[in-house]
Amino acid sequence: EKMVGGGVDEGAEFVCTEVVKGQSVALEKLIQKENKLNVLLSMEGFKDLVKDSGFTEDGLELVLHHMACQQRVYMEKLPDEGLDNKRVLLKFAAPGAKAQPITDIERSIYNLEQTEQNLLKMIDKLEQDVSGALLLVKQNIAQGKKQVAKSNLKKKHLLEKNLEKKMNVLDNVQTMLSRIHDTQTDRNVIEAYKIGSNALKNAFANSGITPDTVDDTLAEMKEIMEQQDEMQTMIS
């Protein structure tokens, strides 16, 4: 006899779409809570952000795929220089909006921010190396090893020069980022003014208010006020 369902692969894995949808909602709430909407995130940074939220590796992959299909997140693979693997950048859409492609400006800002983070790590390491070199110099002097002390002192000076260069680069990068963010803020303010101005014009147009009607209204009000003043004078 032929069994019903006998053609089903018993080793196949199935996905409950309702569970994936629920996890997608939970993930969106988390991203919004962390203020990461419309912000570029690396896949590594994203996983670090949600590591304590109970998502599994496979679960995250399914949720991201679902959200990408629903245009709730935009994902882009970028080649790493000198590496075969690729970086994945994510940009989550704001509530009610569709995920938009990553722009060149956003990539540039992201790269600058990554450069800033890398420089901070290098500076921290160099500061530790300088402190270590200074400690060695002191130990060498205490042990009477003058030549070794001179060698370590020279190393310390080289490290300090490298540290100074890195700090100058960091200062330039942070200045650029500050200007970019200020420009973005100024642009948002201007856009808000434009939206407000257009909304006001539309409101006037919809209500039939024009410069002529405003002048007519003011003239009528002036006439009424004059009549009221005249009546008040007659009464008194």
Side-chain angles (χ1 to χ4, degrees), residues 89-105:
L89 297 182
L90 308 170
K91 186 169 75 169
F92 290 88
K98 292 183 179 180
Q100 299 298 316
I102 297 169
T103 65
D104 290 337
I105 293 176

Side-chain angles (χ1 to χ4, degrees), residues 9-153:
D9 183 2
E10 294 182 0
E13 296 182 357
F14 298 91
V15 176
C16 180
T17 55
E18 291 303 317
V19 172
V20 174
K21 288 179 181 178
Q23 290 181 333
S24 298
V25 172
L27 180 59
E28 283 200 73
K29 289 181 179 178
L30 174 62
I31 296 298
Q32 187 172 3
K33 180 182 177 182
E34 295 294 332
N35 199 28
K36 296 298 182 181
L37 297 175
N38 283 322
V39 175
L40 290 194
L41 291 170
S42 66
M43 183 61 78
E44 292 80 7
F46 165 71
K47 288 181 178 179
D48 186 61
L49 189 69
V50 302
K51 64 182 179 181
D52 297 324
S53 302
F55 290 98
T56 64
E57 187 83 15
D58 292 338
L60 272 180
E61 187 175 341
L62 287 171
V63 170
L64 287 175
H65 176 72
H66 172 75
M67 292 180 69
C69 292
Q70 298 298 315
Q71 294 184 298
R72 300 300 303 137
V73 63
Y74 185 87
M75 295 191 290
E76 179 176 292
K77 292 182 179 180
L78 298 177
D80 272 341
E81 294 183 4
L83 297 176
D84 293 331
N85 63 325
K86 294 184 176 181
R87 283 183 298 152
V88 177
L89 297 182
L90 308 170
K91 186 169 75 169
F92 290 88
K98 292 183 179 180
Q100 299 298 316
I102 297 169
T103 65
D104 290 337
I105 293 176
E106 287 174 326
R107 283 191 207 92
S108 298
I109 294 174
Y110 173 82
N111 289 331
L112 276 175
E113 289 173 341
Q114 292 303 302
T115 300
E116 179 188 29
Q117 294 303 313
N118 291 334
L119 282 168
L120 287 170
K121 291 177 182 178
M122 285 188 281
I123 287 171
D124 183 61
K125 177 66 167 56
L126 282 169
E127 287 177 338
Q128 293 179 23
D129 291 343
V130 169
S131 298
L134 178 60
L135 182 61
L136 277 176
V137 170
K138 291 180 178 179
Q139 290 176 349
N140 296 150
I141 293 174
Q143 295 169 356
K145 300 177 180 179
K146 293 184 179 180
Q147 294 303 318
V148 179
K150 287 181 180 180
S151 176
N152 284 322
L153 187 60

